Amino acid sequence: MRLPRTDRGRLLLVLVLAAAVTAFTATVPLLRDWFDLRVYYGTVDSWVHHGGRVYDYRVPGTSYGFTYPPFAAVAMLPMALLDWPAVVVVALLLDVVALAVVVRVLAGPGWRRYGWYGGALAVCLFALFEPLRDTVSFGQVNLLMLALVLADAWLLTSGRARWAGAGIGLAAAVKLTPALFIGLLLLARRPRAAAVAVATAGAATLLAVVVDPEASRFFWTEALWDTGRVGRLDYVSNQSLQGIFARLGAPHRVLWAAAAVVLGVWARRARRAVAAGDPQAAFALTGLAACLVSPVTWVHHLVWLLPSFAVLVRAGRLRVAGALYAVLCSSVVWLWADDASGLGGFLGGNTYTWLTLGLLLWLPVGQRRAVRRPLRRSANATLQAPTPAAPVTATAERQPESSPPSGATATVAETGAAAGAAAGPGCGRARCASSEPTGSTRPAAANPQSSSARVSS
């Protein structure tokens, strides 16, 4: 498929895609009715205005309440000053800002050259991406967490590393899963950034203890370990390793063994990416591993896969990126929402988990970066100050012989070129709009997914 080269042709393509995306999002995906945002708002309102306890609140008519660490509730305290419509508007604005940060970091320094056309394709592409549209529709915080982590990635690779680690620390204090990125900092021999991340997370946690000691005691001694607060671990929306083994009824020792293997693969591949001066791949691999080993990875948590698509595009794997992206736009796992048993359920009901695992194993790493500096400090890669007698020179860090050739900087616009057609309005099967928090195709289950449940999610 040839993309238009004239402004008139590009405008026509954007209008057609926008119409297709609008029709798709209006008819196919379930609208979540801000369910998680209602959890946050109701918790803060009960806590501040009615003297309630943070972990006692339940959304009316459900058994779901707040299950993030206490610092998350402290960070959401400004909600107490707003009414519900204002909270929704602020949540949408924060998502837009966070998405802009994510796109800016993943696109790299050449993002301006794509102009309005690349931006328009990016909007259409992201609107189709199931984890992203669910994050927005639930009122979830996934995009904010991803933006915080990628902001640290940008600081580390742009020579502004003084405060690097603070974003990871804040994200880990709100949701525990991003703490795996502290492990990446240690693998990359960035002890200062790792120390900043740990100190930031610790300070945020201590602040929550000061604000509400009882809530902190309850969370760290009881709520954190109560998996029943999460929802059904075997529910099809749980696309982690635990979700697979829960649906199979496998013993916990099998789960722990699988998680250990996944972490081993992550450490080996992330170390290779760091050594090759490929920080984007290292961060992408860490997001993949976090989704796999987290006890609960609801579908909307898979926004952590976005950096992997940027790596694929940069490596020139446009068709692979487009095909995989289309799968994540298709809502295919919901075909097994009522029954994930048998071979079909095992293969199809865990589609997103298989995709995440495949990316962890085969994501290209070791790409040369013409602009970004390596995540790990290297004396060989340090630029010498220019002098009148000598031009600026730099010794390039040696790349592995097996490394693929240098690819273009990852951009959302380039991803759109590969995936726009495949991820169109034909993806997924028609479903009726619903405010059910699970995103299931069936009537409300007795124990639906609460995407706000569990901090490790």
Side-chain angles (χ1 to χ4, degrees), residues 35-41 43-44 47 54-58 64-76 79 134-135 138-145 170-178 205 208 215-220 222-226 229-230 294 296 298 300-301 304 449-457:
F35 183 84
D36 287 3
L37 190 60
R38 293 180 189 277
V39 172
Y40 310 152
Y41 183 69
T43 297
V44 171
W47 184 27
V54 171
Y55 296 102
D56 284 350
Y57 174 79
R58 297 291 183 272
Y64 295 102
F66 197 81
T67 54
Y68 294 163
F71 174 70
V74 173
M76 294 174 185
M79 286 185 179
D134 273 4
T135 286
F138 270 122
Q140 255 281 346
V141 299
N142 304 313
L143 267 179
L144 297 175
M145 301 300 101
L170 286 173
V174 173
K175 282 189 164 187
L176 293 182
T177 302
T205 302
S216 296
R217 183 206 64 78
F218 176 77
F219 175 80
W220 294 108
E222 298 184 42
L224 176 62
W225 315 104
D226 182 9
R229 296 175 61 88
V230 181
S294 174
V296 173
W298 302 131
H300 56 81
H301 295 157
W304 290 100
Q449 163 212 346
S450 172
S451 59
S452 64
R454 191 167 181 83
V455 297
S456 58
S457 62

Side-chain angles (χ1 to χ4, degrees), residues 34-222:
W34 317 108
F35 183 84
D36 287 3
L37 190 60
R38 293 180 189 277
V39 172
Y40 310 152
Y41 183 69
T43 297
V44 171
D45 180 70
S46 172
W47 184 27
V48 174
H49 297 300
H50 305 288
R53 296 191 297 181
V54 171
Y55 296 102
D56 284 350
Y57 174 79
R58 297 291 183 272
V59 175
T62 77
S63 60
Y64 295 102
F66 197 81
T67 54
Y68 294 163
F71 174 70
V74 173
M76 294 174 185
L77 277 175
M79 286 185 179
L81 303 176
L82 305 174
D83 58 13
W84 173 247
V87 167
V88 173
V89 171
V90 171
L92 288 173
L93 290 175
L94 288 175
D95 278 340
V96 170
V97 172
L99 184 57
V101 171
V102 170
V103 172
R104 172 65 181 85
V105 174
L106 295 182
W111 64 278
R112 285 189 180 90
R113 60 181 171 151
Y114 295 97
W116 69 269
Y117 180 56
L121 290 180
V123 170
C124 292
L125 190 65
F126 284 132
L128 291 171
F129 192 55
E130 183 178 8
L132 184 58
R133 68 180 186 241
D134 273 4
T135 286
V136 174
S137 188
F138 270 122
Q140 255 281 346
V141 299
N142 304 313
L143 267 179
L144 297 175
M145 301 300 101
L146 179 60
L148 286 172
V149 170
L150 289 182
D152 273 351
W154 178 79
L155 290 174
L156 288 168
T157 56
S158 62
R160 300 173 176 85
R162 182 177 180 182
W163 296 106
I168 291 173
L170 286 173
V174 173
K175 282 189 164 187
L176 293 182
T177 302
L180 187 60
F181 287 91
I182 300 176
L184 174 61
L185 296 176
L186 294 174
L187 285 175
R189 299 179 185 176
R190 287 285 193 168
R192 176 186 172 86
V196 170
V198 172
T200 302
T205 302
L206 288 176
L207 175 62
V209 172
V210 172
V211 173
D212 194 333
E214 174 57 26
S216 296
R217 183 206 64 78
F218 176 77
F219 175 80
W220 294 108
T221 61
E222 298 184 42

Side-chain angles (χ1 to χ4, degrees), residues 2-10 117:
R2 279 190 176 183
L3 294 178
R5 296 182 179 274
T6 65
D7 284 344
R8 178 177 296 180
R10 289 173 175 176
Y117 180 56

Side-chain angles (χ1 to χ4, degrees), residues 268-316:
R268 182 174 179 273
R269 301 209 74 218
R271 189 181 298 112
R272 178 190 168 196
V274 169
D278 193 353
Q280 193 176 72
F283 272 82
L285 289 166
T286 305
L288 295 168
C291 289
L292 288 168
V293 302
S294 174
V296 173
T297 298
W298 302 131
V299 168
H300 56 81
H301 295 157
L302 296 176
V303 294
W304 290 100
L305 271 60
L306 285 174
S308 298
F309 289 102
V311 172
L312 287 171
V313 172
R314 186 196 66 193

Side-chain angles (χ1 to χ4, degrees), residues 328-339:
L328 280 164
C329 295
S330 67
S331 303
V332 64
V333 296
W334 299 110
L335 293 172
W336 289 270
D338 293 322
D339 183 9

